Amino acid sequence: MINQLTKNERQLSLIILLALTLCGLWFAIAGRNDPIGPHGVLITLAGIFGIVGVFSGYFSPEPSENRFDRYYDEPSKAGIILAMVWAVFGLFVGDWVAWLLVNPDLTFDAEWSSFGRIRPVHTTAVIFGFGGNALIATSLYVLQRTSRARLPDQLSPWFVLLGYNLFCVLAVTGYMMGITQSKEYAEPEWYADIWLVIVWVVYFIIYLRTLARRKEPHIYVANWYYMAFILVVAVLHIVNNLAVPVSFAGAKSYSLFSGVQDAMTEWWYGHNAVAFFLTAGFLGMLYYYLPVRAGRPIYSYRLSIISFWGITFFYMWAGSHHLHYTALPQWVQTLGMTFSLMLLVPSWASAGNALLTLNGAWHKVRDDATLRFMMVAVVFYGLSTFEGSFMAIRPVNSLSHYTDWTVGHVHAGALGWVAMITFGAIYASVPWLWKRPAMYSAKLVEAHFWLALMGTIVYVFAMWNSGIIQGLMWRTYNESGTLAYSFIDSSVAMHPYYIARAVGGLLFLIGAIAGSYNIWMTIRTAPRAAAEKTPDRPEPFLARPPVLE
Amino acid sequence: MFGFHYRLERKAVGLVLAIIGVASIGGIVEIAPLFTIHQTVEHAPDMRLYTPLELAGRNIYIREGCYACHSQMIRTLRDEVERYGPYSLAVESKYDHPMLWGSKRTGPDLARIGGKYSDEWHVAHLNNPRDVVSESVMPAYGWLTRNKLRTDDLGQHLKAQRAVGVPYTDEMIANAAADASGQTTPDTSGAEGVVKRYGKDTHVGTFGGTPGKLTEMDALVAYLQILGRLTDAAQKPVVAAGD
């Protein structure tokens, strides 16, 4: 990896790593009595490890001048492997958390493993670890192909990928030590948040610099989505994480906003993290991999435009539907509900556009599990956006809110849509990236597909049942006009569904393990010599994006 | 429109500006007025501040992720009001940086849990929930009684709270650590100091049940016992909104 960097880049990377090490040392020494201390040690070790790595390859020959003749795919390869590692870890922790609700004593009586601490480990590992790495890996791949331009340099993509993973590691280890802001899906503390801003700015600059070098006059629709993902997530992240640290040698901070304003900011962030991280980013993936794999052009260019701007505009209003009937002023709740309903139009326009793209390629959907992953992802995308709009209606929300129905809805989207499209994209890219004719085992891809689909369905049905039962029990009155059930009655009624949910999650986890094995075997059996000879230049026929008009 | 877009999608910077512009509108319209419209947060002159001990307890509540299963927001629905008490008002979380309204009730709402159970019940329940509620799926928090509460940095915590708008006085900040232990030692000058600084309604007691040793259990129980009791605004039939 170091031998791919130029001399200047090697020097620059040493400076960055030295700065990182010094920051880590500051936290480790000044914060030795605080939970930030271990993080300081971790950052220092990461920095030293990096410095040693760069030095070990420092005097190797520089990459040749003709490196710009090829796309730069090494960061994408590493990103895919990291995504699968996070997937298995995150799904494992998720299933563990699910079993904790069946038997709460599966924690070894340790602080770090209690439900409240490892639940965010699960969410962060799957959303940011698995999802984020997959987005970075595929976005760099897609950006180069659809722009017919190579990444502008070698260092910045590695900085983004490794820096981002450092953020994820700080996040999950922090929760286990009790470092959290408690803002859902934005739990990492101030220093990790600042680090992510730096990483994210570099990520955006890569995008702009590569687009500036593009040989294709139009920016392809996948890149609109990837750009919206990068830009809006930056805005959301910065505003939602505004906070005052207690000290610069301690982990704890207090958020700038309080009460109702904080709640609205949090759910403006929370819902749009779903919108721009888990939807826009993965729609970018969809708009490249689905048409390429199906060998069909996108059905409608105009539908792409309408759905892109509809999603970008409407989603940002919808966050307040998380706060129906709360102390949030009613006018904001009503706006949130209204825009959530309108959001169905661009969402289904996207889903319809993708499904109609498959017209003429349905026989491939039948035979090719990779394409089928993508097709099922689109179906779940359509289902969960419908469900989301439905649940945003105030009277429906009065039943569904605070219950497992929300959890089921989230997982229909996260397992059915996000993970399925990602697996599809990864199974498509791995042979392309490692220059193999196909995956190691098509049968394993098929097995993974059915495990993932069954796992998702079991999970979602279990949570629909438990959520609706819970919601109804809470509001049931007996004949004398008093509440019929105590809270613990509703909790006991959840037991069988919690078992079913954990089993569903287990199926999904087994699928991901099978997938990781398959990917690993594909990589391992890749003939190294052949890889160098295969042309993959910035203007090959295959790299052309699907026809736009 | 499509002709315009055909030109727009050839300009990276134009596309970037368009995305930021279009995406910003919703947030600006929905969030900015919450800071300027006075009716958003009710007026409650009797609103008290968290004592250093309660604030430390709140931070433990955050650390352990209690908010993942317990909401602190009673909605304006009949069954919720009958189950948990008067619906929550915005003013009640006015000093909550961050708010802990929550989004999921794997366990019951805690917005008005303060005073519903004894300190001893909370200690037993936190040590092993299944000792008091046999079917509970809540984790056991045995380490809270074992861990000493860190108080040396509480002054800094109050200072940071003041920086984000909570009106702690210099005197409160200077006495933060002493007040944390004072609140757990009834009938001493330390306890008098807390009551003097934080008002006569301040709860003083041996929350964690380990006199002489200030533990994380003390702080968390003190916090749970104050939930819903910082102001009486929600108990009054009509709340004056504005100014």
Side-chain angles (χ1 to χ4, degrees):
Chain A
M1 165 187 155
I2 306 302
N3 59 10
Q4 294 158 15
L5 304 182
T6 63
K7 211 84 189 172
N8 283 340
E9 288 175 330
R10 289 174 203 176
Q11 285 160 0
L12 186 56
S13 65
L14 281 178
I15 294 171
I16 295 169
L17 287 164
L18 194 66
L20 186 71
T21 311
L22 290 177
C23 277
L25 274 177
W26 162 256
F27 288 145
I29 295 166
R32 61 192 175 281
N33 296 324
D34 190 273
I36 205 175
H39 265 173
V41 174
L42 196 145
I43 295 169
T44 309
L45 288 176
I48 292 173
F49 184 74
I51 289 172
V52 171
V54 174
F55 262 118
S56 70
Y58 191 81
F59 296 104
S60 57
E62 284 195 85
S64 63
E65 278 304 311
N66 62 13
R67 64 179 180 276
F68 286 100
D69 294 347
R70 285 172 195 282
Y71 293 132
Y72 191 50
D73 285 333
E74 300 306 315
S76 295
K77 290 183 183 176
I80 284 177
I81 295 170
L82 285 165
M84 290 310 293
V85 171
W86 280 106
V88 172
F89 171 72
L91 292 169
F92 167 75
V93 177
D95 204 43
W96 183 9
V97 169
W99 286 109
L100 281 180
L101 288 179
V102 178
N103 178 356
D105 290 319
L106 295 170
T107 62
F108 321 114
D109 196 28
E111 295 180 36
W112 64 268
S113 63
S114 80
F115 182 95
R117 294 200 191 186
I118 60 173
R119 177 203 176 254
V121 171
H122 159 62
T123 55
T124 298
V126 290
I127 298 172
F128 298 109
F130 169 53
N133 273 303
L135 284 173
I136 293 174
T138 58
S139 69
L140 298 180
Y141 182 93
V142 171
L143 172 65
Q144 297 184 86
R145 267 77 186 169
T146 54
S147 306
R148 287 193 287 145
R150 184 191 186 269
L151 296 178
D153 67 325
Q154 292 75 235
L155 180 60
S156 58
W158 284 112
F159 176 78
V160 170
L161 184 72
L162 299 178
Y164 180 77
N165 279 278
L166 176 63
F167 165 79
C168 293
V169 170
L170 287 176
V172 299
T173 53
Y175 310 149
M176 292 193 269
M177 292 189 287
I179 300 173
T180 171
Q181 291 191 114
S182 81
K183 294 193 150 208
E184 284 182 75
Y185 316 110
E187 292 93 346
E189 271 291 357
W190 60 275
Y191 51 99
D193 289 336
I194 293 174
W195 174 246
L196 183 63
V197 172
I198 299 170
V199 168
W200 218 247
V201 168
V202 176
Y203 187 19
F204 179 57
I205 293 173
I206 294 179
Y207 240 84
L208 283 189
R209 286 173 70 204
T210 310
L211 285 177
R213 298 152 50 88
R214 72 184 186 278
K215 300 191 186 74
E216 195 66 52
H218 289 267
I219 299 171
Y220 180 55
V221 52
N223 291 321
W224 313 346
Y225 279 106
Y226 280 125
M227 273 159 65
F229 146 65
I230 298 170
L231 284 167
V232 182
V233 166
V235 174
L236 296 166
H237 174 75
I238 291 170
V239 175
N240 186 47
N241 284 303
L242 291 173
V244 173
V246 172
S247 108
F248 287 109
K252 180 75 186 167
S253 70
Y254 289 106
S255 73
L256 188 59
F257 307 138
S258 69
V260 60
Q261 293 93 356
D262 190 45
M264 185 57 219
T265 309
E266 155 63 25
W267 288 111
W268 166 79
Y269 166 89
H271 193 72
N272 289 300
V274 173
F276 287 89
F277 205 98
L278 297 177
T279 305
F282 292 89
L283 281 171
M285 215 183 256
L286 173 83
Y287 268 104
Y288 181 81
Y289 288 97
L290 180 124
V292 169
R293 187 77 183 188
R296 305 282 308 165
I298 286 291
Y299 171 72
S300 164
Y301 166 64
R302 295 186 170 192
L303 220 45
S304 317
I305 294 176
I306 292 169
S307 50
F308 174 75
W309 291 104
I311 284 173
T312 307
F313 182 64
F314 289 154
Y315 249 116
M316 297 300 273
W317 297 74
S320 51
H321 69 221
H322 289 255
L323 299 167
H324 279 329
Y325 302 98
T326 67
L328 181 76
Q330 178 140 4
W331 66 268
V332 193
Q333 300 179 21
T334 308
L335 270 179
M337 172 176 122
T338 312
F339 276 86
S340 305
L341 289 172
M342 293 196 283
L343 194 51
L344 189 59
V345 175
S347 301
W348 273 27
S350 292
N353 205 6
L355 287 178
L356 289 168
T357 299
L358 291 171
N359 270 353
W362 286 100
H363 61 286
K364 292 187 189 169
V365 176
R366 183 193 61 209
D367 297 335
D368 176 10
T370 303
L371 189 58
R372 210 178 317 123
F373 260 117
M374 302 185 202
M375 186 277 288
V376 169
V378 173
V379 172
F380 270 103
Y381 175 66
L383 287 175
S384 46
T385 48
F386 174 79
E387 188 187 23
S389 295
F390 181 61
M391 289 167 79
I393 300 170
R394 271 166 59 93
V396 180
N397 194 268
S398 75
L399 179 81
S400 75
H401 195 52
Y402 294 133
T403 72
D404 286 321
W405 189 355
T406 310
V407 182
H409 167 61
V410 169
H411 283 82
L415 302 175
W417 153 237
V418 173
M420 295 268 199
I421 187 69
T422 305
F423 289 136
I426 288 180
Y427 282 134
S429 345
V430 165
W432 295 342
L433 280 168
W434 275 275
K435 319 290 180 211
R436 296 286 294 161
M439 287 297 295
Y440 167 72
S441 162
K443 277 192 182 141
L444 262 182
V445 179
E446 192 73 33
H448 182 187
F449 171 80
W450 289 109
L451 281 166
L453 183 60
M454 278 194 308
T456 307
I457 290 174
V458 170
Y459 191 112
V460 171
F461 271 88
M463 291 293 95
W464 275 340
N465 280 303
S466 69
I468 291 170
I469 291 173
Q470 222 172 6
L472 290 175
M473 284 178 85
W474 292 344
R475 59 163 60 173
T476 301
Y477 283 83
N478 57 26
E479 282 151 8
S480 55
T482 53
L483 291 167
Y485 300 101
S486 69
F487 190 90
I488 196 69
D489 290 337
S490 72
S491 181
V492 171
M494 296 305 102
H495 192 72
Y497 304 107
Y498 284 167
I499 295 174
R501 179 256 295 272
V503 170
L506 189 62
L507 293 177
F508 205 89
L509 169 65
I510 294 170
I513 293 171
S516 303
Y517 172 76
N518 201 1
I519 291 165
W520 181 244
M521 292 307 287
T522 310
I523 297 170
R524 256 191 47 170
T525 50
R528 279 164 192 272
E532 288 306 310
K533 283 183 203 135
T534 319
D536 191 5
R537 295 169 191 287
E539 281 189 88
F541 170 73
L542 272 176
R544 287 194 68 91
V547 184
L548 274 176
E549 302 137 70
Chain B
M1 175 188 146
F2 293 109
F4 169 73
H5 200 276
Y6 193 74
R7 291 192 299 280
L8 177 69
E9 70 188 44
R10 299 167 68 122
K11 308 255 184 300
V13 176
L15 205 52
V16 165
L17 294 177
I19 290 170
I20 293 184
V22 167
S24 302
I25 301 168
I28 291 171
V29 173
E30 290 188 347
I31 299 177
L34 298 180
F35 291 94
T36 57
I37 298 176
H38 291 302
Q39 286 93 327
T40 302
V41 180
E42 305 82 359
H43 189 54
D46 65 338
M47 183 75 184
R48 287 182 289 141
L49 302 179
Y50 291 113
T51 65
L53 186 69
E54 289 153 11
L55 184 69
R58 190 170 197 273
N59 288 339
I60 293 166
Y61 184 98
I62 289 172
R63 182 188 78 189
E64 300 301 344
C66 305
Y67 60 86
C69 296
H70 295 283
S71 57
Q72 292 186 18
M73 174 48 63
I74 302 166
R75 296 182 293 170
T76 52
L77 299 169
R78 179 185 161 197
D79 60 291
E80 297 216 353
V81 170
E82 289 187 9
R83 188 181 296 278
Y84 301 115
Y87 57 82
S88 300
L89 300 181
V91 69
E92 292 179 277
S93 48
K94 180 177 160 187
Y95 296 136
D96 285 6
H97 294 266
M99 58 82 209
L100 295 171
W101 290 11
S103 61
K104 177 73 172 61
R105 285 182 187 150
T106 305
D109 187 276
L110 300 182
R112 308 214 178 281
I113 197 74
K116 266 195 187 167
Y117 300 89
S118 66
D119 294 345
E120 292 74 20
W121 186 90
H122 277 297
V123 173
H125 182 246
L126 286 162
N127 271 324
N128 185 13
R130 279 155 293 288
D131 286 349
V132 281
V133 183
S134 58
E135 306 97 332
S136 171
V137 292
M138 185 169 127
Y141 293 94
W143 56 89
L144 295 176
T145 307
R146 296 197 291 270
N147 289 358
K148 256 187 75 183
L149 183 70
R150 184 177 173 190
T151 56
D152 61 306
D153 61 347
L154 279 175
Q156 274 182 307
H157 279 262
L158 261 53
K159 233 184 216 167
Q161 285 265 311
R162 186 160 73 177
V164 293
V166 185
Y168 284 110
T169 62
D170 289 334
E171 199 196 343
M172 290 169 171
I173 292 172
N175 290 291
D179 283 349
S181 52
Q183 200 179 342
T184 62
T185 49
D187 308 318
T188 61
S189 60
E192 277 170 33
V194 187
V195 174
K196 189 177 82 176
R197 278 182 279 279
Y198 292 89
K200 62 176 172 40
D201 291 331
T202 308
H203 298 251
V204 176
T206 54
F207 301 99
T210 50
K213 188 184 166 206
L214 187 60
T215 65
E216 293 185 341
M217 184 66 90
D218 285 313
L220 185 58
V221 173
Y223 171 64
L224 292 173
Q225 293 292 30
I226 200 72
L227 280 175
R229 297 164 93 189
L230 288 176
T231 169
D232 292 333
Q235 314 285 345
K236 292 174 189 159
V238 179
V239 177
D243 51 47

